[in-house]
Amino acid sequence: MNFFDHQSARRRQSVILLACFLLTLLFMACLIHGVVVGLSMLLGENSSLMQPSAPALGLIALVWLTMLAGGFFRFLDVRGGGAVLARRFGAVRASDRSRFDREQRLLNVVAEIAIASSTPQPDVFVLRHESSINAMVLGADEGRHVLVLTQGALDTFERAELQAVIAHEFGHIDNGDLPLNMRLLIALGGLMAIDEVGRLLIGKTTASRDEPVTFHPGVIVGYLLRGLGSIGVLAGQLIRSAFSRQREYLADASAVQFTRNPIAMATALDIIRQRDNEPLLHGLHAQELAHLCFQSGRKPPWYKRLFASHPDIQSRIDAIEPHFEVKRRKLDKAAQQHGAH
């Protein structure tokens, strides 16, 4: 594969998707203004769309403060850095003095890929009780990156496949995906906050089954916020998922650049494909970490593929090594002949 051309194409597609996300936020701003002022005009409070009344301005300000608060609290979640997050998810630091030989091999591979990619070496953690195959990088600021690998990946991959997976994660670092993903995460957190406040207002103002239903203005505001939040979250998730899929392709191409071994990358993906009934992770944080992982677990049904955080594994294999099946058969045949001798 010509990975430099492949990288350039994926970067252009990522820029387009990022622009779409920003346009979504702009559309949400216009939608919030239009809906709130329109509702105010129906109630006789407003005479012009460009000159909202004081109550309308107050509701618009409430919506924007809700978005800002949601984004701020999401930012605080990752402020502690990658090591704090890794420990929170149950990972432990890998050590070259560990009694586990595979952890020593992992640290050696990380050091090799750091040199090949001209990237500062991250801290390395292992999810020792996680049997699924996966890897991720955590952290948002320079110098605070952490690479996390599951025990299943350590136990399953040979050295070449392990190099490819580690190189993929270094590709995310080298391509600047972590700060960009955090900004998208903060923006989506703000959009989700609108929906959450709407749920709260509706829940607090709706009578129980044994009580008569009484009208309260909070119900209207709650449904309004839920409607606006749902539109924003849906659009934001669609664009973020599409963006994430492009960055996975780009990280695969970067892995080939760093290792010069597309067969190893394709083999690692093929091993994961053969275990397609295995979940993303077995822990409680699986969905939270889905966009950060090397692979997304079970293949989603067709109606959920637009929201999938990763491309189909076969598509990833075809992108880096279109003739993988032919080359693998040749390699297997050569290995059998060598073993016979």
Side-chain angles (χ1 to χ4, degrees), residues 160-183:
E161 290 85 44
L162 184 65
Q163 281 181 324
V165 173
I166 298 301
H168 172 97
E169 300 305 325
F170 269 84
H172 282 303
I173 298 174
D174 187 63
N175 294 319
D177 288 350
L178 294 183
L180 195 55
N181 280 339
M182 191 187 80
R183 295 185 186 103

Side-chain angles (χ1 to χ4, degrees), residues 37 163 215 247 282:
V37 175
Q163 281 181 324
F215 174 79
R247 303 311 283 188
H282 292 89

Side-chain angles (χ1 to χ4, degrees), residues 142-163:
E142 291 295 332
R144 300 175 67 184
H145 298 139
V146 166
L147 189 148
V148 181
L149 205 75
T150 64
Q151 189 65 43
L154 279 180
D155 294 338
T156 303
F157 289 139
E158 298 296 332
R159 201 176 200 280
E161 290 85 44
L162 184 65
Q163 281 181 324

Side-chain angles (χ1 to χ4, degrees), residues 320-338:
I320 58 176
E321 185 50 80
H323 306 293
F324 169 67
E325 294 296 335
V326 175
K327 292 183 178 180
R328 186 181 65 173
R329 285 196 293 268
K330 289 182 178 180
L331 290 173
D332 290 343
K333 184 177 180 180
Q336 291 174 359
Q337 291 176 349
H338 180 74

Side-chain angles (χ1 to χ4, degrees), residues 163-336:
Q163 281 181 324
V165 173
I166 298 301
H168 172 97
E169 300 305 325
F170 269 84
H172 282 303
I173 298 174
D174 187 63
N175 294 319
D177 288 350
L178 294 183
L180 195 55
N181 280 339
M182 191 187 80
R183 295 185 186 103
L184 292 175
L185 191 66
I186 291 172
L188 192 61
L191 294 173
M192 293 179 68
I194 299 177
D195 182 69
E196 290 298 324
V197 171
R199 289 174 183 269
L200 181 65
L201 289 173
I202 294 171
K204 292 294 185 182
T205 56
T206 302
S208 66
R209 294 180 180 179
D210 299 330
E211 298 176 356
V213 178
T214 56
F215 174 79
H216 191 283
V219 175
I220 295 178
V221 176
Y223 278 112
L224 175 64
L225 293 177
R226 284 215 62 192
L228 293 172
S230 297
I231 294 172
V233 169
L234 179 64
Q237 286 182 338
L238 279 171
I239 295 172
R240 186 181 69 166
S241 296
F243 179 86
S244 176
R245 291 193 294 269
Q246 294 302 322
R247 303 311 283 188
E248 290 301 319
Y249 281 124
L250 180 57
D252 286 345
S254 297
V256 175
Q257 176 188 349
F258 299 151
T259 63
R260 297 300 198 274
N261 191 353
I263 290 292
M265 187 68 196
T267 302
L269 290 168
D270 185 60
I271 290 171
I272 292 170
R273 180 174 56 182
Q274 293 172 20
R275 298 171 59 165
D276 59 353
N277 290 325
E278 192 171 60
L280 164 74
L281 292 170
H282 292 89
L284 298 175
H285 304 283
Q287 292 304 314
E288 186 178 355
L289 298 173
H291 283 75
L292 301 175
C293 289
F294 175 73
Q295 57 98 8
S296 57
R298 298 186 181 100
K299 187 176 180 179
W302 65 268
Y303 57 87
K304 290 186 177 181
R305 288 178 191 173
L306 286 175
F307 295 96
S309 59
H310 290 65
D312 178 68
I313 288 183
Q314 185 60 52
S315 299
R316 293 173 68 179
I317 293 175
D318 291 342
I320 58 176
E321 185 50 80
H323 306 293
F324 169 67
E325 294 296 335
V326 175
K327 292 183 178 180
R328 186 181 65 173
R329 285 196 293 268
K330 289 182 178 180
L331 290 173
D332 290 343
K333 184 177 180 180
Q336 291 174 359

